[in-house]
């Protein structure tokens, strides 16, 4: 599992059309939570000495469904940069949209 990403992170999420701010928490047991800028949960896994991946399903606020976030990250000190995609999936399982996103984060405390 690893301890590489364990902690709370303030993130800048870059997506088509702009940026938003979020906070993530990665726990020792491999769980991942989106705690600011939305709510969601998932998992994270250390993939190398300075790399990890995470997957989080964020609850949609404007309609029933989720945003599926899938990212691969590189850690440098107390910062990471991750790249991947986000898929907006409606409650009936159809894909409403998909976009490439980049997340830059700093460890808090």
């Amino acid at each position: 599992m690893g301890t590489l990403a364990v902690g709370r992170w303030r993130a800048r999420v870059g997506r088509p059309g702009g940026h938003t701010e979020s906070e993530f928490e990665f726990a020792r047991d491999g769980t991942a939570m989106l705690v600011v800028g939305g709510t969601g949960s998932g998992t994270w896994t250390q993939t190398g000495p300075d790399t990890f991946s995470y997957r989080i399903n964020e609850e949609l606020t404007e309609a029933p469904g989720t945003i599926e976030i899938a990212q691969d990250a590189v850690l440098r000190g107390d910062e990471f940069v991750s790249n991947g995609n986000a898929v907006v999936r409606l409650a009936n399982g159809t894909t409403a949209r998909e976009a490439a996103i980049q997340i830059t984060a700093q460890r808090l405390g």
Side-chain angles (χ1 to χ4, degrees):
M1 195 145 325
T3 60
L4 184 73
V6 170
R8 189 166 179 136
W9 299 85
R10 178 170 295 129
R12 182 173 186 192
V13 181
R15 54 181 57 119
H19 293 85
T20 58
E21 301 292 321
S22 295
E23 286 186 19
F24 298 99
E25 283 187 20
F26 299 114
R28 289 186 187 280
D29 67 359
T31 57
M33 303 286 293
L34 174 61
V35 294
V36 173
T39 56
S41 62
T43 60
W44 77 274
T45 305
Q46 188 167 331
T47 56
D50 62 351
T51 59
F52 64 98
S53 64
Y54 59 100
R55 309 291 179 260
I56 296 175
N57 286 331
E58 178 183 354
E59 298 172 27
L60 281 177
T61 56
E62 65 273 2
T66 60
I67 302 171
E68 299 170 1
I69 302 163
Q71 293 281 294
D72 294 311
V74 176
L75 180 71
R76 289 193 173 75
D78 283 334
E79 297 182 350
F80 75 75
V81 175
S82 66
N83 291 283
N85 65 358
V87 177
V88 177
R89 204 161 313 276
L90 302 177
N92 66 6
T94 61
T95 299
R97 64 184 174 274
E98 185 172 352
I101 57 174
Q102 181 178 63
I103 297 174
T104 305
Q106 291 188 315
R107 192 184 305 265
L108 298 173

